[in-house]
Structures are given as C-alpha cells and as structure tokens.
Amino acid sequence: NFADAQVVCGNVAIPVHRCVLAAVSPFFDRAFKCSMKERAEATISIEAAEPAVLELLLSFLYTGRVESSLDDYASSLLPLAHRLEITDLVEHCGCVLSERLNADNVVSHVSILRPFCDDPAIRPYWDNISHQIQSDSVLIKTIMRHTHG
C-alpha cells in the first residue's frame, strides 16, 4: 500500500516506496532526489536483470534478510547489487560464490567476480577464491583449460 514509485524490469512493473529504497541504497537515493528522469516519473528502469532476480533484490531491501533463495542467484545478483550500491548484498553474493567454488563453476565464478575484485566489499572473497585455486590442482587445471591465448 501507498507505493509512490515503480521499478520496471522488462514487462514487469513492481510498485515500491521511494523512502524505503532511498534509505538502503545510495543509487536509489540519488535517483529519487536529483533532477533525474526517475525523480519526475517516479519510475526506475532496470533492464540488465531478470524480473525474478530484481524481485529477490527488492525483497532483501525491504526486509534486510538474506533468504536462502538468494544464494542460488548470487551470480546474477552480484552485478545488480553492485550497480545499485547495496553493499550488504554484494558481500553476501561474494561470500556465496567463494563458499560454493568447485571445478564445475570456477571459471564462471572468477569471471563474475573479476570486474569487482578491487571493490573493498568483494576483495576478501576474491582473495579467498585465489587461495582456493592456488591450493587445488583440479581448479588450476580447469582454469588453464579455459584460458584463451
């Protein structure tokens, strides 16, 4: 009730409350405060995500709770959470990717984390993954097989 804005993803429009999103995300705070199109139209368009992933992110913003279903979407949530400056969720996604590292996903997890490896929220998880790879010959061989010259 009393939603005063919407977040649009594809053909899905999700009613939201500006004050809630602005309180937990510097991105939303700027979007709704500044003289951006988003302020005037009370609509933020997020096209770089699947609607289901965006709904999980918004649920996190409203509740502050990390639901177990978030973990299965960590690789999709991380870039979006980083873009929207949601540090707690960025850290959680980095932690999940680090903890779930194995030979089947090492290449994709490294690819997902690499763009954010210098971010202080991701750095500990990037370092952890680096150590895991260095100490596991299977992970090293897997990465070497996927390295293009």
Side-chain angles (χ1 to χ4, degrees):
N1 286 334
F2 304 109
D4 61 353
Q6 64 181 353
V7 177
V8 176
C9 183
N11 60 356
V12 176
I14 303 166
V16 295
H17 304 86
R18 285 188 263 201
C19 62
V20 172
L21 299 186
V24 294
S25 166
F27 171 88
F28 284 115
D29 186 51
R30 284 190 308 276
F32 290 133
K33 274 186 182 174
C34 299
S35 59
M36 296 170 69
K37 173 180 84 167
E38 290 83 356
R39 178 181 180 197
E41 297 176 6
T43 298
I44 297 204
S45 181
I46 298 179
E47 299 302 328
E50 293 295 320
V53 172
L54 180 60
E55 288 180 20
L56 285 169
L57 181 137
L58 291 172
S59 175
F60 173 81
L61 291 179
Y62 272 84
T63 66
R65 290 192 325 246
V66 176
E67 303 294 334
S68 60
S69 57
L70 282 177
D71 294 358
D72 295 332
Y73 294 92
S75 59
S76 300
L77 279 165
L78 176 62
L80 182 59
H82 190 271
R83 177 178 163 216
L84 302 180
E85 302 173 67
I86 306 165
T87 304
D88 290 347
L89 189 55
V90 168
E91 289 174 352
H92 178 76
C93 291
C95 180
V96 168
L97 293 174
S98 174
E99 289 175 352
R100 291 186 173 186
L101 189 71
N102 61 51
D104 294 330
N105 63 29
V106 64
V107 173
S108 66
H109 284 197
V110 168
S111 296
I112 292 161
L113 287 165
R114 184 181 294 121
F116 314 110
C117 68
D118 292 327
D119 183 311
I122 289 297
R123 189 73 186 164
Y125 307 108
W126 179 257
D127 291 344
N128 181 281
I129 285 177
S130 296
H131 292 298
Q132 288 182 63
I133 292 168
Q134 291 171 19
S135 63
D136 187 327
S137 63
V138 173
L139 296 178
I140 292 171
K141 289 175 185 175
T142 302
I143 287 178
M144 290 178 70
R145 271 190 238 109
H146 289 88
T147 303
H148 302 290

